[in-house]
């Protein structure tokens, strides 16, 4: 009992308590004068006011209807009638019987949550999964009955799966032994997408829709910059280039094959919905206007057909979308083709429409809701007579077109949500529907259990949600009701967040899963997949998604750095034939402040997505058991430390079951290398290399990890040298010496190789004969000389890798020293510079401007045997004073390996020697001397 209840008990002897007044309120339905007088007397008694005047007469007062309304509001009853009074005037025993009602001692927290809607405060954080909707770990009875009734997949497979008797490998093997065909569902229903995703497309604006076509041949998106993109899902993904995937002028980059990009008609704010026709030939889209546009998808035509839902509907002609007419009367939020592609259903500002494309007219208009219709669909794929609409008024309504002529009332209402509904999706059989609600619950409905229209009208004016709740915020306050008192939903699915935008939900494909799963996006970046029995069977975290440079079907890297901001996943789509999901994620931190979105591809990744099969994996684990034990014993060591005394990285051939193969080496091979075999002058552990010539650090371009990624010089992306204070995104500028002695990148773990004087990231390659060659050769070793601050490169063989002895330069390459150096870049000449050069030429040869000079020169005088080279290709020893200038405003600088004799190295200019000098910046574990040293 709280303090308010104790003070009420103390006043029992003085007058009526607040509970007594609440009891009186229940008797004032007729608003009689006697009832009003009882209320006034009770208020006077509670305020300790003497109800008898000086003349001995009792004080009386006249109450108007407005006075009574204010009094009822003070006591929580309001003027809403039965529903409003029910919220606060239940007796204590009634409250205990209502499982959906929150006790009064929790109202203070709810009041704090309400207050922030009028200011800028933060929501009170509370654990919804623990306090309100606990995680479902056991199958629910209602959901199990759905799975075994034969309407959601094959019952026999469901029973075997429940008993743990599923075996995909055995099912595949038995296909050749059975006379009956093997159902695709028996094999694919238990194989779910389980990867966090790999980016396959990126936009500079928020993407609102991302869906497969019905046959999954296409994937289409619509973006807030009024662009619609259609992709070919049958074409392979494009491989990444060394510079990555380039963004178009509209900020679009993708590794998928683009069929068509459509510039949408101007609308309000964004494209809210789009849909492909069943034959994939046409697409419709809505943009919060009263006109839905239809365009083709396969041809290059830019013509778009407006479909107007205004009243009266104007004649629809074929014209360009740029013909903007009078101001729209309402906005369309959702639109869908019918199963035959001949009709379009649309929902907007409290209304539902149907447009007949064959008859070219609007056939249905229903003012069916009191708030925006966020989503609508067809209940079945056969007749097209049953329509479903979901609105911000918290109700899902079912309409039968065959009865609309007699009444404009719905055939039934699905009641259960306490907040607005963001999306509704039908199974397609005319029975089952799912909806996502802003009350953070996804509900499954059976149309046979819907409430009658009379039941709906009895509660239509009552509200059970959170007052003034705005779903576009970052949190959901503690609600007062778990569900509507007339909740008729079959199942509830929780765990996701429906905030910031209209999050969408769908049934899984029928052909591969029997539609036994339900999946939804979430504003916290986690895609949820539920079984119909209520359990969450898979959660895909979009914050762990890989960049576009990775292969979505390849193995995941060992180290994945999550995004700092969790993307908001608005839409998700499941491939109809394969265990693949495509998700649409927003990258902005908060709604409306920043934009950008990424489309991610989620696949099933098991042993088939790893290098080798199950037998190879077992054999590899056995062979590496001893190596893993040695690594565990040396776990405290850092990369670059070597055991030079007793350690050996090669196996004794006598202990091996097979004889050690003899490698055929070239006569020019120099083994062993005459260098320090511990860390080659570099510090043990991680470090950065900064050029004295331009102050830039060695950098793996674009942080890629593909074989052949160029190594460049780039300004430092992180100013700290303390491990705990550095950002993981800057690891592409950090290097180490690995156990084989090769200079390696921290971000990818791959070694650095030299090819034609330039540095590249190199994956391990198999040995090919004759060894060595340009493809297969020992990695060079980089050696740092602290006394001269130079980095030299030691090769095991001729770095030109001649293809034959005729092309070989014998041992001439051994007489040179290979230095790592930066390359200067000149500022490109301006228009003034070019004009000045032209005038100088005119002054030295005036006839060259006005006529042709006599040709008195010989060919030998015209061509001296030299050609113009780029600054990167120019020999280091041949640079003039002007070519030593490094004044380009670009951040990028090339880096290469130059071969110099002892005389050439000694005769280099001071600027050239500075470009060959490097500063090693080791990373530290403590905060001593934080920050990059001054240049």
């Amino acid at each position: 009992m709280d303090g308010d209840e104790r003070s009420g008990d103390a006043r029992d002897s003085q007058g009526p308590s607040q509970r007594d007044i609440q009891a009186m309120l229940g008797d004032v339905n007729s608003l009689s004068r006697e009832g009003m007088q009882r209320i006034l007397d009770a208020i006077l008694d509670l305020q300790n006011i003497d109800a008898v005047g000086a003349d001995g007469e009792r004080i009386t007062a006249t109450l108007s209807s407005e006075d009574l309304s204010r009094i009822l509001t003070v006591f929580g009853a309001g003027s809403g009638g039965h529903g409003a009074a029910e919220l606060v005037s239940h007796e204590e025993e009634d409250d205990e019987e209502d499982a959906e009602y929150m006790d009064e001692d929790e109202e203070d927290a709810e009041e704090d949550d309400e207050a922030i809607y009028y200011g800028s405060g933060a929501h009170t954080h509370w654990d919804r999964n623990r306090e309100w909707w606990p995680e479902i770990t056991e199958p629910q009875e209602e959901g199990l009955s759905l799975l075994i009734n034969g309407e959601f997949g094959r019952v026999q497979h469901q029973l075997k799966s429940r008993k743990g008797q599923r075996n995909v490998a055995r099912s595949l093997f038995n296909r050749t032994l059975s006379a009956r065909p093997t159902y695709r569902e028996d094999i694919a229903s238990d194989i779910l997408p389980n990867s966090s995703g790999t980016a396959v497309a990126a936009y500079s604006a928020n993407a609102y829709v991302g869906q497969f076509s019905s046959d999954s041949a296409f994937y289409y998106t619509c973006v807030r910059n009024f662009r619609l993109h259609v992709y070919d899902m049958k074409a392979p993904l494009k491989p990444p280039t060394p510079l990555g995937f380039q963004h178009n002028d509209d900020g679009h980059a993708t590794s998928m094959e683009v069929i068509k990009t459509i510039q949408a008609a101007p609308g309000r704010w964004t494209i809210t919905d789009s849909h492909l026709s069943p034959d994939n030939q046409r697409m419709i889209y809505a943009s919060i206007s009263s006109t839905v546009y239809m365009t083709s998808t396969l041809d290059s035509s830019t013509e778009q057909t407006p479909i107007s839902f205004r009243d009266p509907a104007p004649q629809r002609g074929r014209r360009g979308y740029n013909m903007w007419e009078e101001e729209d009367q309402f906005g369309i939020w959702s639109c869908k083709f019918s199963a035959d592609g001949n009709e379009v259903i649309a929902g907007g500002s409290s209304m539902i429409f149907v447009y007949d494309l064959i008859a070219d007219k609007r056939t249905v208009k229903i003012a069916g809701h009191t708030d925006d219709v966020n989503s609508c669909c067809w209940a079945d794929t056969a007749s097209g007579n049953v329509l479903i609409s979901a609105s911000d008024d918290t109700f899902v309504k079912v309409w039968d077109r065959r009865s609309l002529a007699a009444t404009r009332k719905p055939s039934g209402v699905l009641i259960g949500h306490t907040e607005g509904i963001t999306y509704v999706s039908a199974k397609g059989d005319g029975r089952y529907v799912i909806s996502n609600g802003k009350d953070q619950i996804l509900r499954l409905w059976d149309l046979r259990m819907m409430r009658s229209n009379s039941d709906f009208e009895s509660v239509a004016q009552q509200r059970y949600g959170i007052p003034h709740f705005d779903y576009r915020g970052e949190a959901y306050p503690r609600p007062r009701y778990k569900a509507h008192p007339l909740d008729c939903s079959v199942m509830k699915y929780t765990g996701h967040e429906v905030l910031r935008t209209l999050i969408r939900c769908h049934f899984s494909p029928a052909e591969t899963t029997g539609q036994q799963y339900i999946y939804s996006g979430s504003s916290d970046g986690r895609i949820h997949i539920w079984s119909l029995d209520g359990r969450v069977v898979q959660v895909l975290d979009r914050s762990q998604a890989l960049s576009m440079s990775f292969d979505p079907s390849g193995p995941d890297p060992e180290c994945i750095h999550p995004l700092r901001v969790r993307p908001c996943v608005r839409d998700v789509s499941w491939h109809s034939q394969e265990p693949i999901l495509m998700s649409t994620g927003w990258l902005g931190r908060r709604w409306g402040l920043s934009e950008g979105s990424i489309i991610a591809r989620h696949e099933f990744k098991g042993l088939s997505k790893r290098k080798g099969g199950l037998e190879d994996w077992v054999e590899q684990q056995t062979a590496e058991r001893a190596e893993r034990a040695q690594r565990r014993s040396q776990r405290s060591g850092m990369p670059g430390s070597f055991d030079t005394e007793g350690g050996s990285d090669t196996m004794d051939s006598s202990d091996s079951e097979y004889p050690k193969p003899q490698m055929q080496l070239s006569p020019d091979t120099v083994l062993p290398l005459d260098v320090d075999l511990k860390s080659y002058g570099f510090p043990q552990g991680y470090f950065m290399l900064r050029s004295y010539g331009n102050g830039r650090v060695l950098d793996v371009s674009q942080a890629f990890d593909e074989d052949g990624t160029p190594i460049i010089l780039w300004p430092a992306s992180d100013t700290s040298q303390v491990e705990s204070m550095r950002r993981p995104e800057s690891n592409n500028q950090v290097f180490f010496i690995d156990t084989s002695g090769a200079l390696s990148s921290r971000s990818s773990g791959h070694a650095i190789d030299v090819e034609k004087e330039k540095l590249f990231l190199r994956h391990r390659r198999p040995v090919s004969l004759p060894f060595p060659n340009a493809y297969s050769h020992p990695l060079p070793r980089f050696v740092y000389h602290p006394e001269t601050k130079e980095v030299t490169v030691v090769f095991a063989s001729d770095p030109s890798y001649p293809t034959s002895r005729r092309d070989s330069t014998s041992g001439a390459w051994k007489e040179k020293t290979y230095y790592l150096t930066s390359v200067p870049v000149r500022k490109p000449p301006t228009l003034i510079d070019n004009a000045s050069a032209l005038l100088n030429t005119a002054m030295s040869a005036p006839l060259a401007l006005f006529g042709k000079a006599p040709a008195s020169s010989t060919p030998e005088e015209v061509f001296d045997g030299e050609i113009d080279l780029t600054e990167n290709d120019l020999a280091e020893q041949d640079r003039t004073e002007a070519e030593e200038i490094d004044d380009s405003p670009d951040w990028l600088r090339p880096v290469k390996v130059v071969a110099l004799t002892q005389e050439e190295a000694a005769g280099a200019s001071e600027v050239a020697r500075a470009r060959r000098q490097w500063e090693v910046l080791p990373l530290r574990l403590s905060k001593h001397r934080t920050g990059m040293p001054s240049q």
Side-chain angles (χ1 to χ4, degrees):
M1 176 181 300
D2 58 18
D4 293 337
E5 292 176 349
R6 286 194 299 268
S7 61
D9 292 339
R11 293 194 302 265
D12 284 345
S13 60
Q14 302 177 5
S17 66
Q18 184 167 343
R19 184 178 301 277
D20 297 330
I21 296 180
Q22 292 177 350
M24 297 176 191
L25 293 175
D27 300 329
V28 196
N29 294 332
S30 61
L31 300 182
S32 62
R33 179 172 298 276
E34 179 182 356
M36 290 186 289
Q37 186 62 57
R38 292 174 57 194
I39 294 174
L40 180 60
D41 293 343
I43 294 175
L44 294 176
D45 290 339
L46 283 177
Q47 299 297 326
N48 295 323
I49 298 176
D50 192 0
V52 180
D55 56 356
E57 297 293 333
R58 186 173 183 82
I59 296 176
T60 60
T62 302
L63 296 180
S64 64
S65 299
E66 289 79 7
D67 295 332
L68 179 61
S69 177
R70 286 194 293 269
I71 292 174
L72 295 178
T73 303
V74 170
F75 289 103
S79 57
H82 166 71
E86 181 186 56
L87 189 61
V88 295
S89 61
H90 280 310
E91 292 294 342
E92 198 170 293
E93 58 271 13
D94 295 334
D95 294 342
E96 295 176 355
E97 294 176 359
D98 187 359
E100 308 293 347
Y101 186 75
M102 180 185 295
D103 293 336
E104 292 182 358
D105 56 2
E106 298 179 355
E107 290 182 357
D108 292 338
E110 192 268 341
E111 292 174 359
D112 295 338
D113 292 334
E114 285 186 36
I116 63 96
Y117 291 110
Y118 301 99
S120 58
H123 288 284
T124 303
H125 295 286
W126 61 293
D127 190 349
R128 293 186 291 119
N129 293 332
R130 180 175 61 86
E131 302 178 19
W132 203 256
W133 297 295
E135 181 181 359
I136 303 299
T137 58
E138 296 296 331
Q140 303 298 296
E141 182 179 354
E142 298 85 353
L144 283 177
S145 62
L146 291 174
L147 289 173
I148 63 175
N149 66 5
E151 295 179 315
F152 292 89
R154 302 183 64 247
V155 177
Q156 183 178 4
H157 174 75
Q158 293 288 345
L159 296 176
K160 288 184 177 181
S161 180
R162 296 290 166 185
K163 296 178 181 179
Q165 299 176 354
R166 58 176 185 248
N167 191 318
V168 177
R170 185 177 299 277
S171 299
L172 293 172
F173 178 77
N174 290 339
R175 286 192 302 176
T176 59
L177 305 179
S178 176
R180 297 181 178 179
T182 301
Y183 292 91
R184 183 189 293 265
E185 178 189 339
D186 293 348
I187 299 174
S189 61
D190 294 322
I191 302 177
L192 307 180
N194 59 3
S195 65
S196 297
T198 302
V200 292
Y203 312 104
S204 59
N206 289 339
Y208 276 70
V209 178
Q211 282 292 307
F212 284 109
S213 59
S214 57
D215 59 357
S216 296
F218 294 166
Y219 180 77
Y220 61 95
T221 62
C222 64
V223 192
R224 204 181 76 81
N225 59 6
F226 288 87
R227 297 289 181 92
L228 299 100
H229 305 275
V230 184
Y231 304 96
D232 187 358
M233 298 307 298
K234 294 183 178 179
L237 296 178
K238 301 175 184 177
T241 63
L243 297 179
F245 293 94
Q246 300 299 318
H247 290 258
N248 297 337
D249 295 338
D250 61 349
H252 176 213
T254 181
S255 59
M256 298 184 290
E257 187 68 30
V258 179
I259 297 178
K260 190 175 183 179
T261 297
I262 304 168
Q263 177 62 55
R268 296 175 178 173
W269 179 250
T270 183
I271 300 175
T272 56
D273 199 8
S274 61
H275 194 231
L276 271 179
S277 61
D279 59 359
N280 298 337
Q281 302 286 328
R282 298 163 295 160
M283 175 184 285
I284 55 174
Y285 63 89
S287 55
I288 325 182
S289 67
S290 60
T291 301
V292 171
Y293 287 88
M294 181 170 62
T295 181
S296 60
T297 57
L298 297 181
D299 55 30
S300 59
S301 173
T302 60
E303 186 178 14
Q304 300 187 29
T305 304
I307 305 173
S308 177
F309 290 90
R310 283 190 288 258
D311 188 17
Q315 184 66 25
R316 182 170 59 90
R318 302 189 63 83
R319 60 182 184 269
Y321 62 79
N322 56 349
M323 298 180 64
W324 193 247
E325 299 183 358
E326 66 273 11
E327 184 68 20
D328 291 339
Q329 301 173 2
F330 51 85
I332 298 294
W333 290 88
S334 177
C335 58
K336 293 288 186 298
F337 274 108
S338 60
D340 58 6
N342 294 330
E343 292 182 299
V344 172
I345 183 176
S349 304
S350 74
M351 291 180 286
I352 307 100
F353 307 92
V354 175
Y355 198 99
D356 191 331
L357 298 176
I358 303 299
D360 196 12
K361 65 178 182 179
R362 190 189 67 198
T363 57
V364 174
K365 176 185 176 182
I366 311 170
H369 291 271
T370 59
D371 210 329
D372 287 337
V373 177
N374 292 326
S375 181
C376 59
C377 64
W378 309 86
D380 59 348
T381 58
S383 64
N385 289 322
V386 181
L387 315 177
I388 307 293
S389 60
S391 170
D392 270 334
D393 61 10
T394 74
F395 299 113
V396 179
K397 295 186 178 181
V398 183
W399 310 86
D400 193 332
R401 299 168 64 181
R402 294 165 293 190
S403 61
L404 291 178
T407 177
R408 309 302 286 181
K409 295 182 178 180
S411 300
V413 182
L414 302 174
I415 304 176
H417 287 289
T418 59
E419 302 290 348
I421 301 168
T422 64
Y423 197 74
V424 63
S425 180
K427 182 176 181 290
D429 59 355
R431 288 188 177 181
Y432 296 100
V433 175
I434 57 174
S435 61
N436 236 353
K438 298 175 185 178
D439 55 2
Q440 316 302 303
I441 301 179
L442 191 156
R443 297 179 183 271
L444 173 66
W445 313 88
D446 188 342
L447 299 189
R448 296 168 294 184
M449 299 175 61
M450 61 186 178
R451 296 288 184 177
S452 65
N453 194 59
S454 58
D455 292 338
F456 161 71
E457 291 178 348
S458 65
V459 296
Q461 302 303 321
Q462 301 176 24
R463 294 293 178 263
Y464 294 89
I466 302 173
H468 315 293
F469 169 61
D470 188 348
Y471 74 103
R472 293 172 297 180
E474 299 292 334
Y476 179 64
R478 185 192 302 269
R480 300 190 65 180
Y481 286 91
K482 288 185 178 180
H484 197 283
L486 297 183
D487 182 15
C488 62
S489 60
V490 179
M491 285 290 296
K492 306 178 186 66
Y493 305 92
T494 60
H496 63 314
E497 290 185 358
V498 186
L499 300 170
R500 296 184 59 184
T501 184
L502 303 179
I503 305 295
R504 301 185 164 206
C505 58
H506 306 277
F507 283 99
S508 62
E511 186 173 355
T512 55
T513 66
Q515 297 182 296
Q516 61 178 291
Y517 301 107
I518 295 172
Y519 60 99
S520 171
S522 179
S523 58
D524 63 358
R526 294 183 174 93
I527 302 169
H528 286 68
I529 303 177
W530 295 272
S531 172
L532 280 181
D533 60 20
R535 295 176 299 116
V536 177
V537 296
Q538 194 67 257
V539 177
L540 311 179
D541 191 353
R542 269 293 304 269
S543 66
Q544 303 282 339
L546 304 176
S547 65
M548 209 179 302
S549 59
F550 287 88
D551 181 8
S553 301
D556 289 343
E558 295 182 359
C559 182
I560 300 177
H561 302 291
L563 298 175
R564 290 188 173 184
V565 180
R566 287 188 173 274
C568 173
V569 182
R570 174 183 167 92
D571 200 5
V572 192
S573 185
W574 195 320
H575 198 286
S576 62
Q577 306 294 325
E578 303 176 25
I580 296 175
L581 277 179
M582 299 282 280
S583 63
T584 303
W586 293 3
L587 300 180
R589 286 181 178 270
R590 295 184 63 187
W591 189 91
L593 297 182
S594 59
E595 290 198 19
S597 55
I598 289 181
I599 306 299
R601 178 184 174 111
H602 309 261
E603 296 188 2
F604 168 75
K605 290 189 176 181
L607 288 175
S608 61
K609 300 297 183 181
R610 302 183 57 172
K611 298 179 180 179
L614 178 60
E615 295 81 6
D616 297 333
W617 181 80
V618 174
E619 182 179 354
Q620 179 184 4
Q621 294 296 311
T622 304
E624 294 179 353
R625 187 171 301 161
E627 182 180 352
R628 290 197 303 271
Q630 183 180 3
R631 286 201 303 266
R632 285 194 297 268
S633 63
Q634 299 177 350
R635 186 168 295 173
S636 59
M638 295 291 290
S641 60
F642 296 87
D643 185 5
T644 58
E645 298 179 357
S648 175
D649 56 359
T650 59
M651 295 179 59
D652 188 358
S653 59
S654 61
D655 298 334
S656 178
E657 181 180 357
Y658 301 98
K660 186 175 182 179
Q662 299 296 323
M663 183 178 298
Q664 300 178 5
L665 300 177
S666 169
D668 295 334
T669 302
V670 179
L671 290 176
L673 298 174
D674 188 16
V675 293
D676 181 13
L677 293 179
K678 188 175 183 181
S679 59
Y680 306 101
F682 291 99
Q684 295 184 1
Y686 298 114
F687 56 85
M688 295 183 292
L689 276 176
R690 185 169 67 181
S691 171
Y692 275 98
N694 52 41
R696 292 164 174 80
V697 297
L698 211 61
D699 182 290
V700 179
S701 178
Q702 302 291 323
F704 291 158
D705 64 348
E706 288 79 12
D707 184 64
T709 301
I711 308 300
I712 60 174
L713 288 175
W714 195 265
S717 58
D718 202 324
T719 59
S720 176
Q721 291 178 240
V722 181
E723 280 277 10
S724 60
M725 300 175 64
R726 290 180 60 85
R727 294 180 292 108
E729 297 81 19
S730 62
N731 283 341
N732 63 316
Q733 297 182 345
V734 180
F735 298 85
F736 65 94
I737 303 297
D738 69 2
T739 54
S740 68
L743 180 66
S744 304
S745 168
R746 181 181 186 179
S747 61
S748 64
H750 296 304
I752 309 301
D753 194 9
V754 178
E755 181 178 344
K756 297 181 180 180
E757 299 186 343
K758 300 178 182 179
L759 274 61
F760 296 91
L761 204 64
R762 183 67 67 218
H763 294 190
R764 301 294 181 176
R765 291 176 171 178
V767 174
S768 62
L769 301 179
F771 186 88
N773 54 67
Y775 177 80
S776 175
H777 54 264
L779 291 172
R781 291 184 178 176
F782 293 75
V783 183
Y784 182 67
H785 304 274
E787 63 279 4
T788 62
K789 300 186 182 302
E790 293 176 329
V791 175
T792 60
V793 184
V794 181
F795 295 94
S797 60
D798 187 353
S800 63
Y801 305 113
T803 56
S804 63
R805 289 186 177 274
R806 181 180 303 175
D807 300 331
S808 176
T809 59
S810 184
W813 64 275
K814 304 177 186 178
E815 305 298 327
K816 297 183 177 181
T817 304
Y818 295 83
Y819 295 89
L820 183 67
T821 179
S822 62
V823 179
V825 179
R826 291 291 306 273
K827 180 175 65 175
T830 63
L831 182 62
I832 298 178
D833 296 334
N834 293 334
S836 176
L838 180 62
L839 291 176
N840 292 336
T841 304
M843 294 177 63
S844 60
L847 294 179
L849 279 176
F850 308 101
K852 188 174 183 181
S856 58
S857 302
T858 63
E860 290 77 15
E861 294 173 343
V862 174
F863 179 71
D864 58 358
E866 297 182 359
I867 59 175
D868 293 333
L869 299 175
T870 63
E871 294 175 341
N872 197 23
D873 296 331
L874 189 65
E876 189 70 12
Q877 61 273 20
D878 296 335
R879 292 185 182 275
T880 63
E881 182 177 354
E883 291 165 343
E884 294 280 5
I885 299 176
D886 187 3
D887 58 353
S888 173
D890 293 338
W891 289 0
L892 184 147
R893 290 293 185 274
V895 61
K896 69 177 184 178
V897 175
V898 297
L900 301 177
T901 63
Q902 186 175 0
E903 294 76 17
E904 292 172 342
S909 64
E910 292 294 332
V911 178
R913 280 198 292 267
R915 290 201 310 272
R916 296 201 302 263
Q917 291 181 334
W918 301 85
E919 183 179 10
V920 179
L921 306 172
L923 301 188
R924 297 186 295 271
L925 298 178
S926 65
K927 296 184 179 180
H928 176 64
R929 289 183 60 207
T930 59
M932 297 280 288
S934 60
Q935 300 183 13

